[in-house]
Amino acid sequence: MSFSSDTKAELCRGAITRRCCAQAECYGILLYANRFDAGGARIVTESEELAQRLPLLFKKAFHFTFDTLPEPSPGKKTFTISSPDKLEILSNVFGYDPGSVVAHHINFAVLEEDHCRSAFFRGAFLAGGSVTDPSKGYHLELTTSHLSVSRELLNLLREAGFEAKLAPRSGNHIVYFKQSEAIADFLAAMGAPLAAMELMNAKAEKDLRGGVNRRVNCDAANLDKAVEAAQSQIEALRRLLERTTLEDLPPKLSEAARLRLENPDMTLTELAQLCQPPITKSTFKYRLDKVTELKDVKPHRKDKEMEK
């Protein structure tokens, strides 16, 4: 199963207690269903858990059953309501006149309580929502064909403290989240704390892995710089030794040059600890820099005569 399917399964495990919340959840389902108009309602789902929840939910909310129930088989399952009496019950509960409705709007009076709003969000997600596997990215969306409903849901979410965005797609209207924290909060508010926790764990793991990779890359870059600097120092010392010896250098500089030549793979900090007595990294670097600068110093006359 996908992360989105697992999330819907978790949402469907929630108990159906308050009738007002059952109605609010049904309201979200209907507005985000395959069809909901004066001619009837059609809910299509591939979720086994939602297929089991729907009859119980509508029975609790409206005291009626669907006119058409799906066959118990894998694949998409379709539930329909076509009875005029049942459609009238829906219109009375949600406060609209089927004969005069041009476009659906959310009746905010049905969603005055926080628990009813959460139930409405849950229903909208169950019917028209999806969420990306957090190991691949962060995206949650709610899709409906009703533009006004999508705009009003956006306002409802913002009033509840959720920052979402709106976008059209192939004739539908999408309210979506892109921030991991917002998605986790929304999942928890709908009643899916396990999915929210899984998302945040995946984010923490991804952040940790990213931090480790950055440190590894940084350490590798620093190592490359250290190796390059060491090779440059050794090359300078070899050029210097073409016309003089370590014994001709002052003792401290001679010691620095010898340690660098004998230990090409060591860092300056490690070399500084080999000095007698041990010195700081900056002091060792200063001495080594003084030695390597001598490679460009022209030899005195006496040196030239010695070279001859």
Side-chain angles (χ1 to χ4, degrees):
M1 293 177 69
S2 67
F3 180 72
S4 191
S5 298
D6 289 341
T7 300
K8 290 185 178 182
E10 182 183 357
L11 291 173
C12 289
R13 289 195 293 270
I16 304 171
T17 54
R18 295 187 177 97
R19 188 182 182 196
C20 62
C21 289
Q23 291 177 346
E25 186 172 334
C26 289
Y27 196 21
I29 289 172
L30 289 168
L31 291 177
Y32 277 78
N34 185 261
R35 177 193 176 189
F36 181 41
D37 54 33
R42 181 171 61 248
I43 304 166
V44 180
T45 181
E46 293 184 355
S47 169
E48 292 285 348
E49 293 78 9
L50 181 55
Q52 294 174 15
R53 183 179 180 84
L54 281 171
L56 302 175
L57 193 63
F58 274 73
K59 187 69 174 178
K60 176 73 173 181
F62 310 113
H63 301 301
F64 67 64
T65 59
F66 289 95
D67 293 318
T68 303
L69 293 171
E71 295 293 330
S73 59
K76 292 184 177 180
K77 299 167 179 59
T78 303
F79 298 79
T80 66
I81 301 170
S82 56
S83 167
D85 292 340
K86 295 175 182 178
L87 292 173
E88 184 178 0
I89 292 174
L90 295 180
S91 69
N92 290 335
V93 171
F94 300 132
Y96 72 95
D97 181 0
S100 62
V101 169
V102 176
H104 273 292
H105 291 271
I106 296 176
N107 184 354
F108 293 99
V110 180
L111 310 174
E112 289 182 350
E113 301 295 333
D114 290 343
H115 49 79
C116 290
R117 281 196 294 270
S118 295
F120 178 79
F121 296 151
R122 180 168 59 249
F125 181 81
L126 287 171
S130 65
V131 59
T132 302
D133 186 330
S135 65
K136 299 177 181 177
Y138 308 118
H139 183 85
L140 183 148
E141 64 180 41
L142 301 158
T143 305
T144 181
S145 59
H146 308 297
L147 174 58
S148 297
V149 169
S150 197
R151 288 174 174 172
E152 291 159 2
L153 174 67
L154 186 66
N155 292 330
L156 194 62
L157 286 168
R158 288 175 175 172
E159 288 178 6
F162 299 109
E163 283 301 321
K165 294 183 179 180
L166 181 64
R169 183 197 298 159
S170 304
N172 289 318
H173 308 281
I174 316 295
V175 169
Y176 67 93
F177 297 89
K178 281 289 188 182
Q179 300 297 322
S180 58
E181 291 82 1
I183 295 173
D185 290 343
F186 185 64
L187 291 174
M190 288 192 296
L194 296 180
M197 186 180 300
E198 184 177 345
L199 185 148
M200 294 312 296
N201 286 341
K203 182 179 185 299
E205 183 179 344
K206 191 182 298 183
D207 290 346
L208 177 62
R209 191 183 303 115
V212 170
N213 289 338
R214 284 192 295 273
R215 286 194 293 272
V216 168
N217 291 337
C218 182
D219 291 344
N222 290 337
L223 181 59
D224 289 342
K225 290 179 182 178
V227 170
E228 183 178 348
Q231 293 301 320
S232 176
Q233 293 161 358
I234 292 171
E235 179 61 28
L237 292 174
R238 286 173 178 168
R239 289 173 57 186
L240 175 64
L241 292 178
E242 289 177 358
R243 55 186 178 80
T244 187
T245 64
L246 294 181
E247 288 72 16
D248 294 329
L249 299 174
K252 293 180 179 180
L253 300 188
S254 175
E255 180 185 42
R258 176 179 58 78
L259 289 174
R260 174 78 284 176
L261 289 169
E262 292 176 353
N263 305 280
D265 297 330
M266 284 190 176
T267 64
L268 295 181
T269 300
E270 293 170 332
L271 292 173
Q273 294 303 304
L274 294 179
C275 291
Q276 297 300 325
I279 57 177
T280 64
K281 172 187 174 181
S282 59
T283 301
F284 186 87
K285 184 177 184 303
Y286 172 79
R287 292 179 184 179
L288 198 58
D289 288 344
K290 295 298 292 183
V291 177
T292 55
E293 286 172 5
L294 295 176
K295 74 179 190 306
D296 297 321
V297 176
K298 294 182 179 180
H300 297 295
R301 178 184 296 274
K302 181 178 179 181
D303 294 334
K304 291 182 178 179
E305 290 176 355
M306 290 178 61
E307 289 176 357
K308 293 179 180 179

